[in-house]
């Protein structure tokens, strides 16, 4: 439904929490077998209307103040031609007034070009995330990826030649048919590149994807025990290689953690722009419709068509701060959370903390709780237990 009171264009604001701006670029040349994100084929008319729509949505929904971080995701932001990347970036800079401390963009290897990289450098983009997924042609085929390992190497060479030094490489493991040796070969190859950051995600089977269809037909089968072995293999390998694990799936050289994601996991504020983009801002959590035409229809009328709107109650924020915070290796400071969410009764969770400590899934030092190594392997299960306790209140 349309938002009742869109923010007046140009209204100044100084958020108490870090503010992130997420821009969803929904265009992809093709759909990978594992991907369930909203996307559209990049047609010229749609690209132009999308860019105009983003400019209008900035006026309707985004305060004219500096954002701490910007993240362009998708879709495939690098599917945009260089001139469109520049138009999008200039619109953001004009509206916000200055570049953020951290500005990230997701790239697909097959769409990395020198002219695009030059535009990004000129705009002030300072963090690139390359969707490698694997260096193995066999594994790439199992994921339905449309790029080759040759294109991965060419993209990395172009990125380094353009002067970018804050590079994340994105990988997926536990792909059907992938052995532990094949996964370790990917990690060893990544070490030859020595990126600032690595994201390693265990494959999940999302509904309405080609891999989900194979799963439903019995053509592939998940193996949780094998997945756990690969998780721990990854953690040990990257620790020995000098990468600090700061979140279950994320590893970085010192000072190269993704600030945008850290702020999100710590329940700061962010505004999503573009179809399917989600927001958490000014006491509400909501999303834009995952439909380019519907999103544009509202924007072109000067209305914000926002869906799945939820008020941010203390219990909701406290639960999410705990669930996502426990995914971080540093854990959660309960004393700080109690001050931030003073209206939430944290004592109801004390029996759960004792239970998890007895099961050696959680450890507590002063007011800080963190998952043990065994706990990180079942972090999703721990999150479900936290929700169950809070929902019983």
């Amino acid at each position: 439904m349309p938002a009742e009171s869109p923010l007046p264009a140009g209204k100044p604001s100084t958020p108490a929490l870090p503010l992130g701006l997420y821009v969803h670029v929904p265009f992809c040349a093709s759909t990978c077998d594992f991907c369930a994100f909203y996307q559209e084929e990049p047609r010229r008319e749609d690209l132009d209307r999308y860019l105009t729509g983003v400019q209008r949505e900035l006026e309707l929904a985004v305060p004219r103040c500096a954002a701490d971080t910007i993240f362009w995701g998708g879709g495939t932001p690098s599917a945009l031609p260089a001139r469109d990347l520049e138009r999008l970036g200039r619109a953001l800079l004009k509206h916000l007034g200055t570049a953020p401390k951290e500005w990230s963009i997701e790239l697909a290897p097959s769409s990395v070009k020198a002219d695009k990289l030059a535009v990004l450098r000129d705009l002030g983009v300072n963090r690139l995330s390359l969707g490698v997924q694997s260096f193995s042609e066999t594994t790439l085929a199992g994921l339905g990826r449309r790029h080759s390992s040759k294109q991965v190497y060419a993209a990395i060479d172009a990125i380094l030649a353009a002067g970018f030094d804050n590079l994340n490489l994105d990988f997926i493991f536990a792909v059907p048919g992938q052995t532990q040796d094949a996964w370790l070969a990917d990690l060893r190859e990544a070490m030859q590149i020595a990126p600032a950051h690595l994201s390693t995600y265990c494959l999940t089977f999302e509904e309405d994807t080609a891999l989900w269809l194979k799963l439903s037909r019995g053509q592939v089968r998940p193996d949780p025990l094998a997945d756990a072995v690969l998780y721990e293999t990854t953690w040990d390998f990257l620790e020995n290689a000098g990468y600090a694990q700061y979140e279950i799936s994320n590893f970085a050289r010192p000072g190269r953690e993704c600030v945008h994601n850290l702020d999100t996991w710590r329940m700061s504020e962010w505004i999503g722009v573009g179809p399917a983009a989600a927001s958490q801002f000014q006491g509400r959590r909501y999303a834009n419709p995952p439909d380019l035409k519907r999103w544009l229809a509202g924007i072109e009328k000067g209305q914000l068509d926002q869906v799945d709107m939820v008020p941010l109650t203390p219990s909701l924020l406290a639960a999410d701060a705990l669930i996502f915070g426990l995914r971080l290796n540093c854990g959660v400071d309960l004393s700080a959370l109690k001050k931030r969410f003073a209206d939430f009764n944290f004592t109801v969770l004390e029996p759960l903390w004792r239970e998890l400590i007895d099961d050696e899934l959680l450890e507590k030092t002063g007011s800080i709780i963190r998952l043990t190594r065994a706990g990180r392997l079942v972090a999703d299960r721990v999150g479900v237990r936290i929700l169950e306790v809070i929902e019983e209140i």
Side-chain angles (χ1 to χ4, degrees), residues 235-272:
W235 299 346
D236 291 338
F237 181 95
L238 290 177
E239 180 181 9
N240 291 333
Y243 287 85
Q245 181 187 27
Y246 69 99
E247 193 268 348
I248 288 174
S249 300
N250 288 277
F251 309 79
R253 298 289 193 191
R256 294 305 185 108
E257 300 85 357
C258 180
V259 177
H260 182 90
N261 286 341
L262 281 171
D263 287 344
T264 300
W265 295 326
R266 288 168 174 158
M267 294 300 108
S268 293
E269 290 192 309
W270 62 90
I271 303 173

Side-chain angles (χ1 to χ4, degrees), residues 13-22 62-63 65-71 96 98-104 124 126 258-264 268-271 281:
S13 174
T14 307
L17 296 169
L19 177 63
L21 182 62
Y22 174 77
V62 181
C65 69
D68 294 275
T69 61
I70 295 176
F71 197 107
L96 299 174
T98 185
K101 298 174 184 176
E102 179 187 273
W103 189 343
S104 303
N126 54 19
C258 180
V259 177
H260 182 90
N261 286 341
L262 281 171
D263 287 344
T264 300
S268 293
E269 290 192 309
W270 62 90
I271 303 173
F281 187 59

Side-chain angles (χ1 to χ4, degrees), residues 2-3 6 56 60 295-306:
R56 182 61 179 138
L60 291 169
W295 170 75
L296 281 168
I299 295 296
E300 289 168 355
K301 293 176 183 175
Q303 298 176 344
L304 296 174
D305 187 358
Q306 296 169 343

Side-chain angles (χ1 to χ4, degrees), residues 19-69:
L19 177 63
L21 182 62
Y22 174 77
V23 180
H24 190 74
V25 184
F27 303 104
C28 270
S30 60
T31 302
C32 300
D33 289 0
F34 60 90
C35 184
F37 290 115
Y38 169 67
Q39 56 191 262
E40 295 278 353
E41 290 185 20
R43 302 179 182 88
R44 185 66 255 169
E45 180 183 355
D46 287 342
L47 290 174
D48 288 334
R49 292 185 68 201
Y50 164 79
L51 292 167
T52 300
V54 167
Q55 290 175 281
R56 182 61 179 138
E57 188 173 14
L58 290 172
E59 297 169 0
L60 291 169
V62 181
R64 287 188 182 274
C65 69
D68 294 275
T69 61

